[in-house]
Amino acid sequence: MFEARLVQGNLLKKVLDAIKDLLNEASWDCADSGIQLQAMDNSHVSLVSVNLRAEGFDKYRCDRNIIMGMDLTSMSKILKCAANDDIITMKAQDNPDNVTFMFESPSQEKVSDYEMKLMNLDQEHLGIPETDYACVIKMPSGEFARICRDLSQFGESIVIACTKEGVRFSAAGDIGTANIKLAQTSSVDKEDDAVIIDMQEPVTLTFACRYLNMFTKATPLSPQVSLSMSPEVPLVVEYAIGEIGQIQYFLAPKIDDQDN
Amino acid sequence: MVKPTSSPPIIGKLHTFSTHEVKQVRERLVGWYDDNKRQLPWRTIAITEPDRNIRAYAVWVSEIMLQQTQVNTVKSYFEKWMCKWPTVSDLAKATLEEVNQMWAGLGYYSRARRLHEGAIKIVQELDGEFPDDRDSLMKQLPGVGRYSGSAVASIALGHCVGVVDGNVNRVLARVKGVGADISNQSTSEHFWTLANQLVDPDRPGDFNQAMMELGATVCTPKTPNCESCPLRPHCVAFHRNSAQKRSSIATHFKQSDKKVSQESTSIPDLECLPTCDFCLRKEDWDESLGVLNYPRKAQKTKSREEVCAVVIMKCENGKMLLVQRPKAGLLANLWEFPSIPLVAGDETSRKEEERVVREVLKEKYGLTSTQTDSITYSADVVHIFSHIHQTYRVYQVSLADSQGLTWPDRYQGGQWMEKTEFLASATSTAMKKVLKAADPSEQNNKGKRKKAESRDSPLETKKQKTISQFFSAVSKKR
């Protein structure tokens, strides 16, 4: 028996909005410790990892580890049926063919449940090495979304350069070039608006706009986003999911192929 | 609804044609074909060529090519083929190697071999004359079954026999509302009976091509164009679908324009025997699919996963080792880079895999340890055969010379080829993909093209990496 109840049901709705454009389907691994999802997009350029801790749920029970393969478009359709203030409960048997989503209105006067067929997905699970990143940039998530959107008008790629002066996002293309520089905020009035840069060594990397824009679909989840970079490894874009977990996007950089 | 083969299925009259219907279907279909047929090279030959042997030869070649292959792909192959071997005796004189080379890219290479064998047989045993009817065509020519035999007999020789292919299956299943699994023997038998009953004795070839053409252009698998279909008045699927639409919510509200379906007067009876085995049962009818409910799909068998390492051995003079595959089986007789089958789905690490590859190269190909140490992995290439999902892991190794090299016995032979030779020889599309993936010049070209497109953005010359190049697979811990 698996059951997870989340009073803040809209967090789950937002999680789905944050991954459904990138992934068609994915497996939710449910264990005693919580729920995890890891999947690459179709082109294998990016990887999404969602972690929802058991303690974050208002009720959590998972007798046996189960893997639930879901069509994320269908799941998203179902979650669209839940109101923002609904309490969402996910339920499944130990060897499930189906998963049930139950939505309760805060007054308990309306209760709906939706059952969805599960899929058998054979997905590769990747090991993500522990990395001490050379630069970690924390910034307002809305600002990051805005930058990605603005720069993608110029070209297919965005260069992110982090130095001790600050972080520079730039793009170049047929219409010209664009540069946006953010400096570390000196006085922090509001924590959510702060830009904080933690840098061991300067890093400059190039990434495809398309994916960055898809990552920013997670913006409603959290007021802050963190970008972690090291030379020649994937960028990590991380958003907190309320108090209960986090979503991480890994994006492979574009690199000059010298050896090929 | 699987019945033991001993008891014949019960077939209601909904799924058969009355004499009157047969006449109407013939008229409508042939009339439609005259107005809408596509001009295809083999059709022209079948109509204009006076020599029956050339007609039969052209139709035979086209039908074999068209098996499992799309018309547009076949067109150019067919024209090249007929240019090179305009008659059956020309084909009989060709070598199998030439035939395979000509076929390269079409897939299912046994088809080419059988054409070649058939041509030799016609010239040597039948004095260059094609057999005269369907049964002897099937008996005498290798690779000619009921379908190809009937097609050649009706289209080229004017015999009155029906033809059933995938297109005809679909058309008949829809027109006659056959909801039984089309992969069942009894269902396909029924379609043959219907086709033989329908075929127009005055123009059998045109009628059969009209059926297939209708399936290919109007009654298509996913997006049938019922509006322009000549058989709509007869079509059970169409009427069942519109009957369903009439019972929809729209009928509860007044329609603004009083276009009450006029066809309602001519609806064929949708009732059938309650015990009929060929009806689509109510519970299997999916409203959202409409006419696509027919034909009912057979359970798909999952294609099998296979992984093999492909090693491109390159000499200093730029030549690469190619080996010829066995005479039978998948991609028979084609040339490929030495391939080492690996266990599919096995989550061995890349290191382990490389070790296996090295081992095999040493044992079977006679490479030295220093040579095998220099192998490098370049890319994964995925190629999908109809029944196999094949992943090629492409490795490369540079050799100073080709001395002392050998290859496993299962290959028919080996040869060192330049890239141009390789591209011109009988190789599969998969191997061309492999070389492309491994060839740095191809990738540079790509980069250059990109550069030329967006001159002023040096950023776009960078190559997008994939996540798998950074993180490696781990086995799931459960």
Side-chain angles (χ1 to χ4, degrees):
Chain A
M1 176 77 183
F2 164 76
E3 188 175 337
R5 179 181 160 95
L6 191 59
V7 174
Q8 248 187 306
N10 73 338
L11 279 180
L12 197 59
K13 285 165 68 84
K14 288 177 186 167
V15 168
L16 250 276
D17 286 339
I19 59 177
K20 72 168 182 356
D21 291 346
L22 207 53
L23 309 171
N24 299 327
E25 55 219 14
S27 294
W28 298 84
D29 292 7
C30 307
D32 203 27
S33 57
I35 306 175
Q36 284 185 318
L37 172 150
Q38 192 209 73
M40 280 186 278
D41 72 286
N42 270 340
S43 57
H44 287 203
V45 169
S46 68
L47 176 93
V48 184
S49 165
V50 177
N51 184 18
L52 303 169
R53 288 185 296 271
E55 311 85 78
F57 290 90
D58 301 283
K59 182 182 171 194
Y60 189 89
R61 172 179 170 192
C62 184
D63 302 340
R64 281 185 55 188
N65 291 356
I66 55 172
I67 299 175
M68 298 195 287
M70 296 191 201
D71 179 325
L72 294 183
T73 319
S74 311
M75 183 179 176
S76 161
K77 280 180 186 161
I78 290 178
L79 289 179
K80 284 241 163 29
C81 303
N84 275 334
D85 54 358
D86 274 357
I87 300 159
I88 296 182
T89 308
M90 281 204 281
K91 281 189 274 196
Q93 298 300 315
D94 276 348
N95 267 317
D97 294 320
N98 295 301
V99 58
T100 303
F101 296 94
M102 186 171 79
F103 308 146
E104 300 160 75
S105 67
S107 60
Q108 303 285 332
E109 276 160 2
K110 176 182 171 194
V111 177
S112 26
D113 58 84
Y114 295 82
E115 194 176 82
M116 184 177 83
K117 287 199 195 85
L118 295 177
M119 313 165 77
N120 235 334
L121 298 176
D122 201 16
Q123 280 179 336
E124 219 177 354
H125 199 84
L126 297 182
I128 300 162
E130 289 278 323
T131 309
D132 274 335
Y133 286 95
C135 300
V136 178
I137 305 147
K138 292 202 171 77
M139 62 187 286
S141 60
E143 185 69 77
F144 179 59
R146 177 69 198 258
I147 289 171
C148 294
R149 197 189 68 199
D150 290 351
L151 291 189
S152 50
Q153 304 179 97
F154 287 81
E156 287 171 17
S157 311
I158 293 182
V159 179
I160 307 180
C162 188
T163 59
K164 60 177 188 298
E165 279 82 45
V167 54
R168 199 184 73 235
F169 300 86
S170 41
D174 291 342
I175 56 172
T177 58
N179 288 289
I180 299 169
K181 225 183 93 189
L182 291 182
Q184 178 142 243
T185 35
S186 42
S187 66
V188 184
D189 296 335
K190 273 169 76 186
E191 219 174 289
D192 290 350
D193 294 340
V195 176
I196 298 160
I197 296 165
D198 177 6
M199 189 206 78
Q200 260 84 55
E201 55 167 318
V203 180
T204 301
L205 285 173
T206 307
F207 302 101
C209 292
R210 210 167 82 76
Y211 296 93
L212 294 174
N213 278 321
M214 285 199 272
F215 301 167
T216 60
K217 299 277 190 280
T219 306
L221 278 168
S222 161
Q224 279 259 319
V225 60
S226 100
L227 315 176
S228 309
M229 301 199 295
S230 273
E232 312 216 319
V233 303
L235 161 80
V236 191
V237 180
E238 181 175 329
Y239 297 85
I241 303 173
E243 308 277 276
I244 68 168
Q246 73 277 29
I247 179 165
Q248 290 175 311
Y249 300 92
F250 296 83
L251 176 60
K254 288 182 159 185
I255 288 177
D256 273 323
D257 255 10
Q258 281 132 347
D259 46 10
N260 217 336
Chain B
M1 238 187 264
V2 180
K3 286 247 160 185
T5 41
S6 51
S7 64
I10 302 167
I11 304 171
K13 74 170 195 312
L14 179 67
H15 313 300
T16 58
F17 288 105
S18 67
T19 336
H20 177 64
E21 242 181 322
V22 167
K23 211 172 136 235
Q24 282 189 324
V25 167
R26 281 179 191 161
E27 268 170 27
R28 290 196 157 117
L29 200 56
V30 175
W32 171 85
Y33 181 67
D34 288 339
D35 297 336
N36 294 290
K37 69 177 166 201
R38 293 174 288 183
Q39 290 295 338
L40 298 171
W42 48 92
R43 285 190 179 157
T44 319
I45 297 179
I47 295 166
T48 57
E49 176 59 47
D51 183 339
R52 68 175 281 281
N53 278 319
I54 293 186
R55 280 202 315 266
Y57 170 65
V59 173
W60 176 42
V61 171
S62 70
E63 288 301 339
I64 300 293
M65 282 184 174
L66 284 164
Q67 289 169 7
Q68 316 285 339
T69 311
Q70 294 195 335
V71 171
N72 280 334
T73 319
V74 168
K75 265 198 220 161
S76 61
Y77 277 93
F78 178 81
E79 275 166 349
K80 268 194 282 173
W81 183 287
M82 293 304 283
C83 246
K84 185 148 189 194
W85 302 301
T87 67
V88 86
S89 51
D90 294 321
L91 175 58
K93 281 179 216 143
T95 65
L96 182 56
E97 187 64 29
E98 284 175 313
V99 171
N100 271 336
Q101 199 175 329
M102 178 68 99
W103 200 270
L106 270 178
Y108 299 93
Y109 292 85
S110 64
R111 295 187 291 170
R113 194 186 69 234
R114 295 222 185 90
L115 268 177
H116 185 235
E117 281 170 17
I120 293 175
K121 188 161 181 193
I122 288 170
V123 170
Q124 291 180 352
E125 295 175 27
L126 306 169
D127 296 332
E129 288 285 319
F130 265 84
D132 201 39
D133 59 77
R134 181 185 71 184
D135 293 341
S136 31
L137 281 166
M138 279 166 64
K139 218 167 87 195
Q140 304 280 4
L141 299 183
V144 170
R146 197 170 180 185
Y147 164 75
S148 323
S150 307
V152 174
S154 63
I155 300 170
L157 308 173
H159 286 281
C160 183
V161 283
V163 156
V164 176
D165 69 347
N167 288 320
V168 178
N169 265 332
R170 182 169 58 253
V171 173
L172 288 175
R174 286 180 184 161
V175 170
K176 284 284 104 191
V178 176
D181 184 344
I182 51 165
S183 59
N184 277 356
Q185 176 82 26
S186 61
T187 321
S188 104
E189 263 326 301
H190 183 63
F191 286 141
W192 278 100
T193 315
L194 290 180
N196 282 326
Q197 186 193 358
L198 279 179
V199 63
D200 189 339
D202 297 333
R203 298 171 65 186
D206 284 348
F207 180 87
N208 285 336
Q209 293 188 80
M211 272 298 246
M212 296 190 268
E213 186 92 344
L214 187 73
T217 60
V218 174
C219 198
T220 53
K222 295 267 169 60
T223 52
N225 182 3
C226 294
E227 294 312 308
S228 60
C229 178
L231 298 186
R232 190 174 52 170
H234 303 277
C235 185
V236 171
F238 179 77
H239 289 296
R240 190 165 177 178
N241 187 37
S242 33
Q244 167 208 314
K245 273 189 194 149
R246 273 196 301 280
S247 64
S248 75
I249 187 78
T251 57
H252 295 278
F253 304 103
K254 273 195 189 128
Q255 272 173 319
S256 51
D257 54 339
K258 280 188 185 150
K259 236 168 84 196
V260 182
S261 169
Q262 287 172 344
E263 280 170 61
S264 54
T265 47
S266 66
I267 295 181
D269 198 357
L270 292 180
E271 292 298 305
C272 196
L273 296 175
T275 52
C276 177
D277 284 335
F278 272 26
C279 278
L280 186 71
R281 289 170 310 172
K282 245 199 191 119
E283 59 268 31
D284 287 341
W285 171 268
D286 179 346
E287 293 188 5
S288 61
L289 288 178
V291 295
L292 305 188
N293 272 296
Y294 302 98
R296 209 175 94 214
K297 276 178 211 87
Q299 287 286 330
K300 254 196 191 158
T301 46
K302 204 176 170 250
S303 57
R304 114 176 151 250
E305 296 248 346
E306 283 190 9
V307 182
C308 76
V310 180
V311 188
I312 302 179
M313 295 182 207
K314 220 176 198 164
C315 255
E316 255 172 10
N317 58 14
K319 292 197 175 193
M320 302 170 289
L321 177 65
L322 282 132
V323 284
Q324 192 175 24
R325 290 181 64 99
K327 281 195 177 118
L330 185 73
L331 305 171
N333 291 326
L334 295 193
W335 292 89
E336 68 176 15
F337 296 111
S339 302
I340 300 162
L342 301 168
V343 186
D346 195 7
E347 283 171 346
T348 47
S349 66
R350 184 137 284 159
K351 269 192 190 139
E352 173 65 16
E353 183 185 300
E354 281 184 20
R355 197 189 56 78
V356 173
V357 172
R358 284 201 183 99
E359 202 80 347
V360 175
L361 287 179
K362 261 185 253 175
E363 271 176 34
K364 306 274 175 157
Y365 292 86
L367 265 67
T368 62
S369 308
T370 31
Q371 284 170 325
T372 60
D373 280 347
S374 67
I375 63 168
T376 51
Y377 165 82
S378 3
D380 269 7
V381 171
V382 174
H383 190 76
I384 296 171
F385 297 97
S386 57
H387 56 301
I388 301 171
H389 184 102
Q390 175 83 57
T391 309
Y392 296 104
R393 297 210 197 289
V394 186
Y395 286 88
Q396 296 194 72
V397 56
S398 299
L399 307 174
D401 59 75
S402 53
Q403 290 221 325
L405 247 60
T406 166
W407 42 82
D409 303 337
R410 67 192 163 98
Y411 287 120
Q412 296 182 55
Q415 204 178 323
W416 290 86
M417 295 188 195
E418 304 248 9
K419 191 177 160 194
T420 44
E421 282 175 84
F422 164 81
L423 291 173
S425 64
T427 49
S428 66
T429 313
M431 283 303 137
K432 292 191 178 122
K433 280 207 253 180
V434 163
L435 181 63
K436 206 167 176 185
D439 196 341
S441 65
E442 291 279 349
Q443 280 162 7
N444 281 350
N445 281 345
K446 235 188 254 167
K448 261 178 214 154
R449 221 179 305 131
K450 249 190 176 168
K451 212 175 192 173
E453 271 165 18
S454 49
R455 261 163 293 124
D456 298 322
S457 67
L459 303 175
E460 305 301 343
T461 60
K462 297 200 167 174
K463 194 167 179 295
Q464 176 67 58
K465 295 283 178 183
T466 66
I467 277 288
S468 337
Q469 287 168 289
F470 299 97
F471 305 148
S472 55
V474 294
S475 53
K476 284 203 176 181
K477 281 171 264 152
R478 59 180 67 110

